[in-house]
Amino acid sequence: MRARPRPPVQGRGMFSGTTLIIVCLAATLAALVFPIWSYADRSDPTGSVNVLSAQTVSTAYGPLSAQDRDFIVKVRLAGLWELPAGEMAEEKGTTAAVRTAGQHLVDGHTSLDAHVRTVATQLGVPIPNGPNAQQQQWLATLSAAQGQDFDREFANIVRLAHGRVFSVVAQVRAATQNTLVRDLADDANTTVLDHIKVLEATGYVDFATLAQQLATTPSPVASPPVVAPADATPVTAAPAPAASPSSTYTLPPATASPEQPSQNP
């Protein structure tokens, strides 16, 4: 007697096919979601994601890059030590050429500092109120030197600083998209080139040592923090008053500098 074929269970084939499709879809979704979750949860030891998003900010004068902000700080720092160095050269220089170079430093950085403070305020970039450690050391060296030793130290130290910043000015001028920074770079370029020429005219610049120092020792200048300025409003800077050669120049404080937190004893 032949066995009767067992009737198929209702829904078994359909249930198995549906389950297989659901499982496959779930596996595909998991494969797509896991890398996204894994990447979002992964630590970023270099901070590249956050830094990349904060490198350039928008202003009313065009994009403001990290290089632009760093340049503004460098221009301010240059004036904070080169202006007093110029005053020392006017007083202590033993030759007319050294004293003339000192006068050019004083005049140039008085004007350039007024410009950079205006730009920093308009763009919301914090700038320092004092020279950095390296610049303080240079000023101390010049303060202690006398006679021709001063002339030599002055010409070579200040020429080295100008050689370092000259290439920075060119890089910023070539790359910046911010109109205020572009104008500042033009001003800085004119000022730095003038100072390089009068320093070399003293006859004290050691070009062989200068070339070696420029190739091996980059300038240690701190970069500003990443600050997203609000939409800046145009500000017209008051022209710097003319002063007699015997006047002593004092740089005013940076109007855009952050307030220092008070420390309890």
Side-chain angles (χ1 to χ4, degrees):
M1 181 173 98
R2 290 189 307 171
R4 297 177 58 186
R6 179 179 298 178
V9 179
Q10 290 291 333
R12 175 178 292 179
M14 182 177 65
F15 176 77
S16 299
T18 302
T19 302
L20 181 60
I21 293 174
I22 292 174
V23 170
C24 291
L25 289 175
T28 302
L29 181 61
L32 294 173
V33 171
F34 177 76
I36 298 174
W37 166 82
S38 178
Y39 180 80
D41 188 58
R42 188 182 306 159
S43 61
D44 180 17
T46 63
S48 59
V49 175
N50 291 334
V51 170
L52 183 61
S53 63
Q55 284 292 319
T56 302
V57 294
S58 298
T59 76
Y61 306 95
L64 182 70
S65 68
Q67 179 176 256
D68 294 339
R69 294 189 293 272
D70 187 64
F71 173 67
I72 291 170
V73 170
K74 282 181 169 66
V75 173
R76 170 64 174 179
L77 281 170
L80 289 171
W81 85 274
E82 289 178 24
L83 194 149
E87 290 178 338
M88 279 192 271
E90 286 183 308
E91 297 174 2
K92 299 170 64 174
T94 64
T95 69
V98 172
R99 293 190 294 271
T100 297
Q103 182 181 359
H104 277 243
L105 258 68
V106 170
D107 293 343
H109 283 290
T110 298
S111 174
L112 188 60
D113 187 75
H115 190 172
V116 73
R117 284 185 291 109
T118 298
V119 170
T121 300
Q122 290 174 271
L123 296 176
V125 177
I127 52 178
N129 276 325
N132 62 26
Q134 175 67 83
Q135 294 164 343
Q136 291 175 18
Q137 182 179 344
W138 284 337
L139 287 173
T141 298
L142 294 178
S143 180
Q146 301 295 330
Q148 288 189 347
D149 287 340
F150 170 84
D151 296 341
R152 189 173 295 104
E153 293 282 8
F154 168 75
N156 284 283
I157 290 175
V158 182
R159 176 61 179 83
L160 172 63
H162 280 75
R164 287 171 174 167
V165 76
F166 198 44
S167 60
V168 175
V169 175
Q171 292 172 2
V172 172
R173 182 60 181 84
T176 185
Q177 301 179 59
N178 189 281
T179 57
L180 295 184
V181 175
R182 189 175 299 130
D183 289 343
L184 180 63
D186 287 341
D187 193 1
N189 182 72
T190 300
T191 302
V192 172
L193 184 57
D194 172 72
H195 293 174
I196 286 176
K197 290 179 177 179
V198 294
L199 288 165
E200 292 173 350
T202 64
Y204 283 105
V205 175
D206 183 346
F207 288 97
T209 301
L210 174 66
Q212 184 179 22
Q213 290 175 321
L214 288 174
T216 60
T217 55
S219 180
V221 178
S223 297
V226 175
V227 178
D231 288 338
T233 54
V235 177
T236 302
S244 63
S246 60
S247 300
T248 299
Y249 297 90
T250 301
L251 289 174
T255 56
S257 294
E259 296 183 358
Q260 299 294 328
S262 59
Q263 298 180 350
N264 295 327

